[in-house]
Amino acid sequence: DVKVTQSSRYLVKRTGEKVFLECVQDMDHENMFWYRQDPGLGLRLIYFSYDVKMKEKGDIPEGYSVSREKKERFSLILESASTNQTSMYLCASKRSGEEKLFFGSGTQLSVL
Amino acid sequence: SQQGEEDPQALSIQEGENATMNCSYKTSINNLQWYRQNSGRGLVHLILIRSNEREKHSGRLRVTLDTSKKSSSLLITASRAADTASYFCATIHSGAGSYQLTFGKGTKLSVIP
């Protein structure tokens, strides 16, 4: 069974902290994505990666960075967390040339 | 930028009834997908319909696509309490790279036992 695993289900951090959200997929997918989901705003794409060490900005990259050192792992980094980054963060992956996304269970991040 | 918009935002029905959700989008698409999200969880892919298809079935799901109206509908027949979830449509713009799948804001479906 295909799997996208996000390291934390719930996370509480303080303003100004550096935060790492980890995502691992076991399907050998080339493409990986980070979305955030907020009530009333739906899912918004933060960053995506189409290959190892490659990254592209999505619709809302400000305040975030990403790292893809290995094919199976895609990390989202909040350099200095702020309260407006409190959100549900969803990681997804897919195979190149295919359209279907596989999602992780999400990380609910609270920044206090 | 948001591409798809679902309608209604929320829907409450009795178990056994049919549920219909609609999605409208703004620009030409290659395909349209529907996803489901249980409360506080990740999204799960339900069905994909291509721009040259008009209707597609999968179990109790029926999806239609009208490219002239830039709209799609998802019908769940004989609903069950376990169908309670949020449902999202997602599109990739024609001509865009195959990476940028954009989601609507979702329809929250409640099926009352």
Side-chain angles (χ1 to χ4, degrees), chain A:
Chain A
D1 208 12
V2 297
K3 208 161 185 180
V4 180
T5 302
Q6 294 185 230
S7 54
S8 303
R9 186 77 185 89
Y10 298 96
L11 209 53
V12 180
K13 295 291 181 180
R14 297 226 174 261
T15 302
E17 279 193 75
K18 190 168 186 176
V19 181
F20 293 87
L21 302 183
E22 305 286 346
C23 176
V24 177
Q25 49 94 6
D26 65 358
M27 297 165 281
D28 202 37
H29 285 172
E30 294 82 8
N31 308 148
M32 296 188 74
F33 305 80
W34 276 106
Y35 289 87
R36 67 176 279 177
Q37 184 178 23
D38 301 286
L41 295 177
L43 276 79
R44 292 179 292 167
L45 181 63
I46 304 171
Y47 266 98
F48 64 95
S49 168
Y50 51 90
D51 202 350
V52 176
K53 297 192 185 294
M54 307 305 289
K55 59 186 178 184
E56 293 285 343
K57 293 179 180 179
D59 296 321
I60 51 162
E62 298 78 20
Y64 304 94
S65 62
V66 290
S67 173
R68 183 115 181 255
E69 295 297 316
K70 293 184 177 181
K71 191 175 185 180
E72 67 270 19
R73 187 180 296 269
F74 192 34
S75 302
L76 180 69
I77 303 153
L78 286 66
E79 295 289 342
S80 177
S82 63
T83 54
N84 63 13
Q85 292 179 310
T86 290
S87 186
M88 168 71 97
Y89 289 87
L90 293 163
C91 174
S93 72
K94 76 173 187 74
R95 195 173 303 284
S96 285
E98 296 181 359
E99 293 94 349
K100 178 179 172 180
L101 282 180
F102 293 86
F103 280 85
S105 296
T107 295
Q108 180 62 52
L109 172 67
S110 297
V111 182
L112 306 178

Side-chain angles (χ1 to χ4, degrees), chain B residues 20 29-30 37 56 77 83 86 95-96:
Chain B
T20 300
I29 58 171
N30 291 327
Q37 183 181 36
K56 202 160 183 181
T77 60
D83 294 328
S86 292

Side-chain angles (χ1 to χ4, degrees), chain B residues 52-103:
Chain B
N52 61 354
E53 297 176 307
R54 291 297 167 257
E55 188 170 311
K56 202 160 183 181
H57 296 254
S58 177
R60 292 185 296 113
L61 304 180
R62 174 179 166 246
V63 170
T64 62
L65 179 64
D66 186 336
T67 53
S68 66
K69 294 181 179 178
K70 293 186 170 56
S71 68
S72 173
S73 67
L74 170 68
L75 168 68
I76 304 174
T77 60
S79 63
R80 305 166 182 168
D83 294 328
T84 294
S86 292
Y87 293 82
F88 296 85
C89 65
T91 55
I92 296 179
H93 308 199
S94 297
S98 66
Y99 311 114
Q100 297 227 21
L101 190 64
T102 54
F103 288 82

